[in-house]
């Protein structure tokens, strides 16, 4: 049975939060995948727009007939994915939250898999599958995402990648959301580590698969990996007292 987001008459069991910034080239593919979810419980989609100027919002509005429980929220007061996620989750109505990005593609059973995994864990990281959306060059220059468990950063603790995350609302409330201090990466590591330090459980959603899109030009990849290096130093500053190597 193919489920659809509810029309507002019933409280959603899970909310999907999707931050967006200038996603006109890809967001329609993600929306099509979300509209095809095989989940027969009521759920909603919250698009947190971080200040798009490329027509992304117009594209999202065109999907209201197929995604009837769709909310678009203005998250442009501060640039950054952490702010957009925080605004989106604050707007969401369900006790369970799934987070995806506008340039990736969720698998058909993603919402169901996140919902099921969040019955067992407070925080969940799903599996990233890059093969379908990337060319050989993009795949060859990147490490292969973990296929059987959560990645571990800094020889310290596992984390849920922000592009494929599920969480219970109490985790968000306890942590105050994702930190705006991690503006160029590491926000998901910081969030996951703080959750575990606070005593929340974290697990791997094997069936919560998202087809993941890499950056495709050399300059963008270079900037990304530079920011990763800066992030590692920032994480060490913030977590060395907790045991990060």
């Amino acid at each position: 049975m193919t489920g659809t987001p509810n029309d507002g008459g019933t409280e959603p069991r899970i909310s999907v939060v999707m931050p967006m910034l200038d996603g006109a080239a890809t967001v329609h593919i993600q929306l099509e995948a979300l509209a095809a979810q095989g989940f027969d419980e009521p759920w909603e989609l919250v698009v947190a727009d971080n200040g798009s100027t490329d027509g992304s919002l117009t594209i999202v509005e065109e999907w209201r007939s197929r995604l009837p429980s769709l909310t678009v929220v203005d998250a442009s007061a501060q640039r950054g994915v952490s702010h957009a996620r925080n605004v989106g989750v604050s707007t969401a109505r369900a006790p369970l939250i799934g987070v995806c990005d506008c340039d990736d593609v969720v698998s058909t059973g993603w919402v169901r898999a996140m919902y099921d995994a969040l019955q067992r864990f407070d925080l969940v990281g799903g599996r990233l599958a890059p093969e379908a959306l990337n060319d050989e060059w993009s795949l060859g220059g990147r490490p292969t995402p973990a296929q059987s468990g959560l990645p571990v950063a800094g020889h310290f603790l596992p984390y849920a990648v922000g592009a494929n995350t599920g969480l219970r609302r109490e985790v968000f409330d306890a942590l105050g959301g994702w930190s705006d201090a991690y503006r160029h990466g590491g926000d998901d590591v910081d969030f996951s580590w703080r959750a575990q330090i606070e005593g929340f459980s974290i697990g791997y959603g094997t069936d919560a698969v998202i087809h993941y899109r890499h950056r495709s030009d050399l300059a963008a990849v270079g900037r990304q990996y530079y920011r990763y290096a800066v992030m590692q130093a920032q994480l060490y500053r913030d977590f060395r007292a907790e045991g990060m190597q």
Side-chain angles (χ1 to χ4, degrees):
M1 177 177 182
T2 299
T4 58
N6 77 88
D7 61 3
T10 306
E11 289 298 305
R13 300 292 182 86
I14 185 170
S15 299
V16 174
V17 171
M18 184 177 73
M20 180 177 71
L21 175 61
D22 292 339
T26 58
V27 69
H28 62 289
I29 305 172
Q30 181 68 293
L31 292 171
E32 182 175 12
L34 287 165
Q37 287 299 293
F39 185 64
D40 54 5
E41 300 284 350
W43 65 282
E44 68 172 349
L45 172 63
V46 179
V47 177
D49 184 65
N50 200 216
S52 298
T53 60
D54 67 342
S56 300
L57 288 170
T58 300
I59 295 171
V60 171
E61 291 296 332
E62 292 172 350
W63 282 83
R64 283 196 180 275
S65 62
R66 292 183 61 186
L67 292 161
S69 189
L70 167 65
T71 298
V72 179
V73 60
D74 183 1
S76 63
Q78 181 175 324
R79 186 59 58 86
V81 69
S82 291
H83 177 72
R85 287 194 197 114
N86 290 341
V87 172
V89 174
S90 297
T91 302
R93 295 181 290 147
L96 306 179
I97 312 291
V99 180
C100 62
D101 286 346
C102 71
D103 58 346
D104 299 325
V105 180
V106 298
S107 61
T108 304
W110 182 75
V111 172
R112 164 57 68 185
M114 272 298 176
Y115 180 84
D116 290 346
L118 287 168
Q119 308 306 310
R120 297 179 288 123
F121 301 106
D122 300 315
L123 178 63
V124 172
R127 183 164 70 87
L128 300 179
E131 295 82 9
L133 299 182
N134 299 282
D135 59 24
E136 185 176 350
W137 181 87
S138 298
L139 292 171
R142 301 298 187 102
T144 302
Q147 300 297 305
S148 59
L150 295 172
V152 176
H155 303 287
F156 184 39
L157 293 171
Y159 69 97
V161 177
N164 191 0
T165 292
L167 63 146
R168 304 186 70 87
R169 179 168 296 278
E170 52 262 39
V171 178
F172 179 84
D173 292 341
L175 301 184
W178 285 265
S179 173
D180 290 328
Y182 288 84
R183 297 185 59 83
H184 301 295
D187 47 279
D188 46 7
V189 180
D190 167 77
F191 185 88
S192 296
W193 287 1
R194 286 190 289 127
Q196 291 169 86
I197 290 168
E198 288 294 318
F200 291 107
S201 62
I202 187 170
Y204 184 62
T206 306
D207 298 325
V209 180
I210 283 184
H211 303 288
Y212 183 71
R213 194 184 305 273
H214 291 314
R215 287 171 171 81
S216 59
D217 70 271
L218 188 59
V221 172
R223 288 191 298 270
Q224 183 180 37
Y225 273 83
Y226 171 78
R227 289 166 179 168
Y228 285 168
V230 173
M231 172 266 291
Q232 287 288 337
Q234 188 172 354
L235 286 168
Y236 180 66
R237 181 199 67 193
D238 293 344
F239 291 95
R240 59 184 175 183
E242 303 290 345
M244 180 182 177
Q245 299 298 306

